[in-house]
Each structure stands twice: as C-alpha cells, then as structure tokens.
C-alpha cells in the first residue's frame, strides 16, 4: 500500500468534520476525466509518507483532527486496507472511505467490523454507460451490490453514505442521469459534481467539458439530487 498524496487538514472532504485526506495509488478503473493520472496509472509511484510516519503524524494531530478520509485511486484494491483502518480507528479517529464500489466484500467486512463511519461511493452513470466512462472492464454486479449495501445501511441509520457522480457533457446527458438515478431506488444523499479540468487528466486525447453552473443547478433541481 502506497500513500501517494496527503492533505493534512481539510474542512471539505468529510461533512462537518476536520480531516486528513490520504490518497492511495492504484485504481481498477481508467476514467478519462480522472484528476489523478499519475496515481492511477502507477501503483508504485513514490510515497509521500510511509505508513509509520503517517501514524506518527496522526498521533501528533489528535487534538486538531476528527477524522481520516481514505481516497485514491481505489483504496479497496489493497488487502491490507482493513489493517490500516483499524490502526487509525484505534487512535480515536472517524473514517471516511471514498470508493468506486467494485469490492462489495471488502465494504461489507469493513462495515461489519464497525471500521467505517462515512462512505462516499462514485456512481459513474447508468449501468449501460459504465464501460464507456470507466474505460475498463467492469463487473456491474459488484457496483449494484455495493450500492445496495450502502442503501440498506443508510436506511438502518448504521452508516453515513453518499453517492456522487462526476458529470461531463460528452459522457452523460440529463436523460442518462435520470436513468442512473432510477436504477438505484431510495439512495442516500446523491451529489452531482461538474467535471473540472485541473490541466492534467487521464485521457489526454479525449474531449471532456463541463455543463455550466446554471445547467448543473437546473438538472439537479429537475432530478431532485444535490449539486456540488
Ligand atoms: S476517477 Fe476513476 S480512474 Fe480516477 S481514481 Fe476515481 S475511479 Fe479511479
């Protein structure tokens, strides 16, 4: 496992909490609009901090932090993820996990062991658009299963969850978004986020653009979901 990025203090990545965000290298998707191309392409990119240094860092910040957000890449590809989360939980921090939902067993076990407090799952689009968006083979049953699990845990009030969808004009129409939302009845909070181009994305040859702020706001209103 390789921590390839860190935000030491964030007020926006865990709703209502001050958290540190770590980014684990490696992902099983290849979304063209991905903002972290180096981290996604190369699991072995140099770590910015090793696990022991990170734990020491957290020990020194206990007074100032509520939580740790584990992002990627896709954190659930690592078999030692539960071990890391347990170490952090034992220090008293809450845990938020960002995931693309392709490892429902890992999610199920982490939730079952009480190791997660918040899960943000990316729903990439309606299921029949997944392959085109993530540009990789995907077992859609895993996505459905993870989403179903989070819906159930939210209903039982056992976990805070959100679904989120990055919206590119070239990849998703409003009618795609409507189909996607219909495919996952009774979801937790759902956030649409407009694609933003930080200058470097994974698919350098592709064309990706954002809907305007107003278009996003209106789509969110018509679809009854939140817009970030
Ligand atoms: S945007 Fe796609 S490729 Fe990038 S980290 Fe998320 S799931 Fe992986």
């Amino acid at each position: 496992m390789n921590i390839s990025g860190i935000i030491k203090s964030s007020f926006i990545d865990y709703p209502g909490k001050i958290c540190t965000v770590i980014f684990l290298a490696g992902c099983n998707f290849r979304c063209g609009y991905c903002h972290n191309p180096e981290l996604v392409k190369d699991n072995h990119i140099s770590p910015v901090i090793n696990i022991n240094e990170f734990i020491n860092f957290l020990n020194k910040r206990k007074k100032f932090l509520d939580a740790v957000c584990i992002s990627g890449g896709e954190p659930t590809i690592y078999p030692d993820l539960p071990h890391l989360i347990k170490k952090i939980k034992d220090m008293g921090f809450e845990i938020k996990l960002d995931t693309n939902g392709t490892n429902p067993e890992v999610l199920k076990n982490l939730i079952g062991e009480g190791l997660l407090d918040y899960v943000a799952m990316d729903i990439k689009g309606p299921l029949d658009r997944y392959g085109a968006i993530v540009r990789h083979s995907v077992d859609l049953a895993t996505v459905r299963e993870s989403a179903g699990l989070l819906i159930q845990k939210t209903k039982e009030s056992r976990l805070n969850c959100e679904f989120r969808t990055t919206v590119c004009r070239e990849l998703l129409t409003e009618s795609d978004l409507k189909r996607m939302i219909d495919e996952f009845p009774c979801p937790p909070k759902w956030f649409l986020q407009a694609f933003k181009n930080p200058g470097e994305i994974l698919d350098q040859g592709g064309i990706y653009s954002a809907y305007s702020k107003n278009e996003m706001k209106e789509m969110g209103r018509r679809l009854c979901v939140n817009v970030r």
Side-chain angles (χ1 to χ4, degrees), residues 27 29-31 33-34 40 72-73 100 122 124:
C27 187
F29 282 173
R30 289 291 179 271
C31 313
Y33 53 67
C34 183
V40 160
N100 62 25
D122 285 351
K124 300 294 184 181

Side-chain angles (χ1 to χ4, degrees), residues 116-224:
L116 299 180
D117 299 284
Y118 197 112
V119 179
M121 176 171 161
D122 285 351
I123 305 278
K124 300 294 184 181
L127 294 168
D128 64 0
R129 299 281 299 131
Y130 252 74
I133 295 169
V134 308
R135 303 188 316 141
H136 202 273
S137 62
V138 48
D139 177 357
L140 294 173
T142 59
V143 174
R144 268 200 222 98
E145 189 179 341
S146 293
L149 177 69
L150 297 185
I151 288 169
Q152 185 199 331
K153 295 297 169 193
T154 304
K155 270 193 205 152
E156 295 168 358
S157 307
R158 293 184 54 187
L159 192 64
N160 284 314
C161 300
E162 68 179 52
F163 288 172
R164 55 192 191 183
T165 302
T166 299
V167 187
C168 283
R169 189 181 287 278
E170 290 76 12
L171 293 175
L172 292 169
T173 63
E174 183 169 340
S175 108
D176 289 330
L177 294 173
K178 165 120 187 40
R179 280 191 304 114
M180 169 185 78
I181 291 164
D182 288 345
E183 283 170 349
F184 299 96
C186 309
K189 283 166 284 175
W190 202 321
F191 294 92
L192 303 181
Q193 48 200 33
F195 162 70
K196 288 190 184 114
N197 192 340
E200 204 189 343
I201 57 173
L202 193 57
D203 181 10
Q204 283 297 330
I207 297 172
Y208 300 86
S209 64
Y211 288 99
S212 70
K213 257 191 178 166
N214 199 44
E215 285 172 313
M216 289 294 294
K217 193 171 139 204
E218 284 304 307
M219 280 198 283
R221 187 182 60 75
R222 288 191 291 269
L223 297 166
C224 300

